[in-house]
Amino acid sequence: MINFDYLKLNIYQIYPKSFYDSNGDGIGDIKGIIDKLDYLKDLGINAIWICPIYKSPQDDNGYDIEDYYDIDPMYGTLDDFKSLVSELHRREMYLIMDFVGNHTSTKSKWFIESRKKEENKYSNFYYWFDSPLPINSIFGGSAFEYDTEKEKYYLHSFAITQADLNWDNEDVRSEMKKVIAYWVNLGVDGFRCDVIDLISKDLKENRIGNGPNLHKYIRELFSSFNVFTVGECGSRDIEEIKAKIAKERCELSTLFQFDHFDVTRITKFKRGNPKLYEYRNVLSKWCSTFQDNDLIYTLFTDNHDQSFMISRLGSSDYYFESATCIASMTYLLRGIPFIYQGIEYGAVNSKFNELSDFNDIESINYYNERIKKVSKEEAIEELNFGSRDNPRHPFSWDDSFNSGFSKGDPWLKISTSYKEINLKNDLSKDKSIYRFYQKILNLRRLDAFTIGEFKDLSVDDTIFIFERFYDNDKYLVICNFEDISALEINYDNYEIVLSNYNRDELPKKLSPYEVLVLKKVK
Ligand code: GLC
Ligand code: CA
């Protein structure tokens, strides 16, 4: 059985480079996170997931780890990390670290040894071939790179400087268990497992993921630790995913999948004409049909790899209403909420004109390929729509110098909308997105919204209506889509507990993106 306490987590995802810079070097850091823990606690957060802060050359912003046992000096020291753990635990908050097991930086000591010609303990830590296989890297180009020292090709599913570890080698697996043990000993409560379905491969079939030993390797890795685990799993096969995380198999506590992102665009870099009901249908499917006693689902609208959801699915005319509608449709469902930094004040995509304004390796590789086919303007427009830099721009705390993020030169440009869209400005308004999130997270303290059941009562493509209930407590969540709709059912026995139009009484018609949360009183 799964651990239902996990449904009581309200997790906040921190992109550490861009959250808060405490020492003015332009880079967010651990002390900066500590400074903002009370802020997060006030929002209603009880756990944080921090993207990788291990020692790294930063070719993929920390997802290229050089040393699994050390904190990168730009974020602080191991002592700062220990303070973070105790400051969190003192506030009854949990810490989830990123675990990047599929690959290391080519600067890692393991890789440096592995590429040597003479045999050593690390020789088979990576995948070495005499000739490249016909596999493409997820960041573009061939997934194989020739190494002049070893005179062989190594596999890199991502950037050239991110070499894939060979998990079929037992020594790699035992090193990884040591890594987990080390951080658990330092007080880490959970792990977000980066591209975990890639750790077992089927290279005979040219497949870099979902290999025959995936379940075995995950089980081996975590079975001796009592930690929360969330796996990033691109796989669309529900039965496979369920099997992957079933608790009796000691695999993962929960997982991220991305079906609901697919309906919000044509491709990652191409705008579509998304419909809220399509987004609803995916979430509803996952929350009702697929979620049962073997599976807890994750609820998230945004993360560090996607441009902001509100810039794809929201409306600029109804900015507050659509942001709060998307939040309610997502975070009042059954599952574990992950709130990405910035969405609580309605952060949106930026608009830049030059490639030099971008930092992300995926975006730059994409641009360089794309420019062979379309104009520069078009390629930049696509980056503005889809680039992973969007959610990575420094957090806009206020409208002062560098959006209140740093006194120094920020590592990445501040958001182009920061003068208007920032936390301080949001808090000064009656229609505050932050305060709406606070109310949603407050509702999530109730059993009805955490362990309670979910039932989709929607009848057409204009509204999402669902029930959440536990024992005698029953709530109805009504999220109207973009057009005005009639509220046809009789809700006499209900009282309003949350409204994004400040209603005291039930309206006859619902306004665009209107949200009503009703509690059954009789
Ligand atoms: C995951 C991370 C992403 C990273 C990639 C390679 O998808 O979320 O940021 O680039 O893995 O580690
Ligand atoms: Ca800093």
Side-chain angles (χ1 to χ4, degrees):
M1 278 290 278
I2 51 172
N3 180 345
F4 284 104
D5 281 348
Y6 291 153
L7 284 167
K8 298 187 175 163
L9 292 170
N10 287 333
I11 303 172
Y12 189 88
Q13 184 190 349
I14 293 181
Y15 200 68
K17 255 186 161 170
S18 297
F19 189 53
Y20 186 59
D21 174 20
S22 72
N23 63 353
D25 65 356
I27 303 170
D29 44 54
I30 295 174
K31 285 196 170 132
I33 298 175
I34 297 175
D35 284 348
K36 299 294 182 185
L37 290 182
D38 289 332
Y39 164 75
L40 296 177
K41 183 94 188 169
D42 281 350
L43 176 59
I45 295 301
N46 56 21
I48 58 172
W49 150 30
I50 312 181
C51 286
I53 51 176
Y54 313 97
K55 188 157 190 267
S56 157
Q58 303 290 320
D59 292 338
D60 187 19
N61 285 325
Y63 284 93
D64 47 324
I65 296 175
E66 180 178 332
D67 184 351
Y68 283 105
Y69 294 98
D70 209 357
I71 298 290
D72 196 288
M74 72 184 186
Y75 292 123
T77 61
L78 210 51
D79 280 338
D80 295 335
F81 177 81
K82 289 177 187 164
S83 316
L84 174 65
V85 173
S86 63
E87 289 297 325
L88 278 163
H89 289 169
R90 189 163 73 75
R91 291 172 176 82
E92 295 180 343
M93 295 167 87
Y94 299 106
L95 177 60
I96 298 162
M97 291 285 272
D98 221 302
F99 170 71
V100 189
N102 180 65
H103 43 266
T104 70
S105 162
T106 47
K107 293 226 168 76
S108 140
K109 159 182 109 201
W110 298 349
F111 189 81
I112 292 170
E113 289 301 314
S114 188
R115 76 201 298 193
K116 286 185 177 153
K117 274 211 133 152
E118 55 281 6
E119 277 290 307
N120 62 53
K121 173 174 177 220
Y122 300 97
S123 294
N124 294 318
F125 262 47
Y126 298 84
Y127 292 100
W128 293 103
F129 285 85
D130 291 328
S131 54
L133 302 177
I135 302 176
N136 281 333
S137 141
I138 293 168
F139 287 165
S142 164
F144 284 86
E145 182 72 6
Y146 185 67
D147 183 67
T148 47
E149 195 176 329
K150 197 161 175 121
E151 298 181 325
K152 280 180 190 283
Y153 291 83
Y154 66 88
L155 171 66
H156 61 90
S157 295
F158 295 90
I160 291 171
T161 55
Q162 290 167 297
D164 284 43
L165 283 164
N166 174 8
W167 281 64
D168 295 333
N169 178 341
E170 216 181 309
D171 292 342
V172 168
R173 303 202 302 275
S174 82
E175 284 298 334
M176 284 307 179
K177 271 209 256 180
K178 282 189 214 154
V179 169
I180 298 289
Y182 175 79
W183 293 101
V184 170
N185 273 335
L186 287 173
V188 168
D189 305 289
F191 295 91
R192 175 267 185 187
C193 307
D194 191 60
V195 291
I196 194 73
D197 45 9
L198 302 194
I199 61 173
S200 169
K201 307 183 196 295
D202 194 350
L203 291 179
K204 279 195 209 81
E205 297 292 327
N206 295 327
R207 269 195 9 225
I208 56 165
N210 267 326
N213 294 314
L214 184 61
H215 302 299
K216 176 176 171 227
Y217 294 166
I218 298 180
R219 212 155 43 232
E220 262 184 33
L221 183 64
F222 290 118
S223 57
S224 33
F225 305 101
N226 181 21
V227 288
F228 170 79
T229 50
V230 48
E232 185 196 21
C233 303
S235 175
R236 301 295 198 264
D237 183 331
I238 182 61
E239 286 311 320
E240 183 177 40
I241 284 170
K242 268 194 169 187
K244 202 177 286 182
I245 71 167
K247 198 59 192 169
E248 67 269 24
R249 296 175 59 162
C250 293
E251 293 181 19
L252 302 168
S253 317
T254 183
L255 80 156
F256 296 123
Q257 61 75 45
F258 299 93
D259 286 0
H260 61 309
F261 283 75
D262 292 348
V263 299
T264 65
R265 58 194 175 202
I266 295 172
T267 64
K268 185 159 190 178
F269 292 96
K270 282 234 174 90
R271 188 179 292 282
N273 180 22
K275 297 282 176 241
L276 278 170
Y277 71 85
E278 292 173 336
Y279 180 75
R280 170 198 68 190
N281 292 351
V282 177
L283 292 178
S284 175
K285 179 185 78 180
W286 274 86
C287 287
S288 44
T289 328
F290 297 155
Q291 186 165 229
D292 56 24
N293 288 346
D294 284 335
L295 182 145
I296 308 184
Y297 184 56
T298 51
L299 309 169
F300 64 107
T301 57
D302 289 83
N303 72 19
H304 65 293
D305 289 331
Q306 315 285 338
S307 60
F308 283 114
M309 181 65 89
I310 181 176
S311 297
R312 296 199 295 277
L313 200 54
S315 149
S316 42
D317 294 341
Y318 292 96
Y319 164 68
F320 167 82
E321 291 76 10
S322 62
T324 48
C325 182
I326 295 167
S328 307
M329 284 173 71
T330 312
Y331 294 116
L332 288 172
L333 296 172
R334 190 171 192 266
I336 304 173
F338 284 79
I339 313 269
Y340 184 74
Q341 70 181 40
I343 66 169
E344 75 272 30
Y345 63 80
V348 295
N349 288 352
S350 284
K351 268 196 172 27
F352 289 102
N353 299 318
E354 296 300 327
L355 184 65
S356 56
D357 294 328
F358 291 85
N359 163 279
D360 168 39
I361 185 164
E362 181 191 62
S363 306
I364 293 169
N365 289 355
Y366 177 81
Y367 178 92
N368 288 333
E369 278 305 306
R370 206 55 194 139
I371 198 69
K372 295 175 189 159
K373 296 199 182 102
V374 301
S375 68
K376 176 190 158 189
E377 288 68 33
E378 212 171 309
I380 291 285
E381 188 42 42
E382 291 182 13
L383 290 194
N384 281 330
F385 172 72
S387 171
R388 304 196 297 179
D389 279 340
N390 281 304
R392 299 175 180 188
H393 292 294
F395 192 105
S396 302
W397 293 98
D398 54 40
D399 62 0
S400 70
F401 179 68
N402 284 340
S403 67
F405 159 72
S406 169
K407 297 206 163 47
D409 221 0
W411 74 277
L412 181 66
K413 288 201 165 171
I414 51 174
S415 164
T416 49
S417 60
Y418 85 99
K419 280 277 176 202
E420 214 193 307
I421 297 179
N422 61 67
L423 178 70
K424 189 170 166 213
N425 195 18
D426 177 76
L427 286 172
S428 72
K429 296 181 189 163
D430 281 343
K431 291 175 162 188
S432 159
I433 298 175
Y434 174 92
R435 278 196 295 274
F436 201 89
Y437 266 92
Q438 220 175 18
K439 288 175 189 158
I440 287 181
L441 294 176
N442 205 27
L443 285 175
R444 292 200 63 99
R445 290 172 207 229
L446 305 169
D447 285 343
F449 283 101
T450 53
I451 50 183
E453 299 287 319
F454 160 83
K455 198 164 164 198
D456 189 347
L457 304 177
S458 311
V459 289
D460 60 26
D461 290 344
T462 65
I463 313 184
F464 187 9
I465 305 185
F466 59 93
E467 225 170 39
R468 297 296 316 271
F469 52 98
Y470 184 78
D471 275 351
N472 293 322
D473 272 348
K474 188 179 259 187
Y475 291 82
L476 264 183
V477 181
I478 302 171
C479 298
N480 185 40
F481 299 157
E482 43 280 75
D483 299 318
I484 295 173
S485 319
L487 190 58
E488 278 159 5
I489 315 167
N490 181 348
Y491 292 115
D492 283 351
N493 298 338
Y494 287 87
E495 68 179 29
I496 300 175
V497 294
L498 183 61
S499 155
N500 62 351
Y501 274 82
N502 258 328
R503 306 268 191 207
D504 298 322
E505 275 174 36
L506 283 177
K508 293 261 177 303
K509 285 190 163 42
L510 294 170
S511 297
Y513 301 98
E514 176 148 11
V515 174
L516 287 167
V517 181
L518 309 179
K519 179 178 167 49
K520 189 157 195 204
V521 282
K522 281 184 261 170

